[in-house]
């Protein structure tokens, strides 16, 4: 059904359901979240590189504002924390800002 209306809002509305299933031990839901974290982190890394926010060595500090309902913490699954973890592996200077 997501292919009929692939809007981000409709897909993002599923996040609480997927997180709930992952927290209940559903492995498929867990894999969906892991994939989503990797994709989001990859997008952010591409922007950071393209804009040169991390400096030539990739270690310069830069702010990263974490906004949006998808990035909110849940009981066991904190998507925002996982995204920051993935980004900081390549860019240790990332400075997350949580409004």
């Amino acid at each position: 059904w997501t292919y009929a209306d692939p809007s981000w809002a409709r897909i993002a509305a599923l996040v609480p359901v997927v997180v709930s299933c992952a927290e209940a031990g559903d492995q498929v839901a867990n894999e969906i979240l892991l994939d989503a974290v990797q994709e989001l982190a990859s997008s952010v890394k591409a922007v950071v590189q393209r804009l040169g926010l991390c400096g030539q060595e990739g270690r310069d500090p830069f702010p990263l504002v974490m906004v949006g309902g998808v990035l909110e913490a849940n009981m066991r699954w904190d998507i925002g924390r996982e995204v920051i973890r993935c980004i900081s592996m390549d860019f240790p200077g990332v400075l997350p800002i949580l409004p």
Side-chain angles (χ1 to χ4, degrees):
W1 64 266
T2 58
Y3 296 112
D5 178 13
S7 69
W8 285 110
R10 186 161 182 180
I11 293 169
L14 292 174
V15 171
V17 175
V18 177
V19 168
S20 178
C21 291
E23 288 176 345
D26 185 291
Q27 190 57 38
V28 173
N30 196 53
E31 290 296 322
I32 290 170
L33 293 174
L34 288 171
D35 288 346
V37 164
Q38 291 296 324
E39 289 296 321
L40 183 53
S42 292
S43 295
V44 172
K45 289 177 191 180
V47 171
V48 168
Q49 286 179 321
R50 179 75 173 160
L51 296 178
L53 299 176
C54 58
Q56 289 185 7
E57 301 293 319
R59 300 193 171 280
D60 289 359
F62 63 93
L64 178 63
V65 180
M66 304 293 289
V67 295
V70 171
L71 300 174
E72 293 177 4
N74 293 284
M75 288 172 33
R76 281 186 254 169
W77 248 105
D78 186 340
I79 294 172
R81 182 186 66 226
E82 292 300 316
V83 168
I84 292 167
R85 184 185 61 74
C86 288
I87 293 168
S88 65
M89 283 191 251
D90 291 327
F91 305 119
V94 65
L95 302 169
I97 298 173
L98 306 170

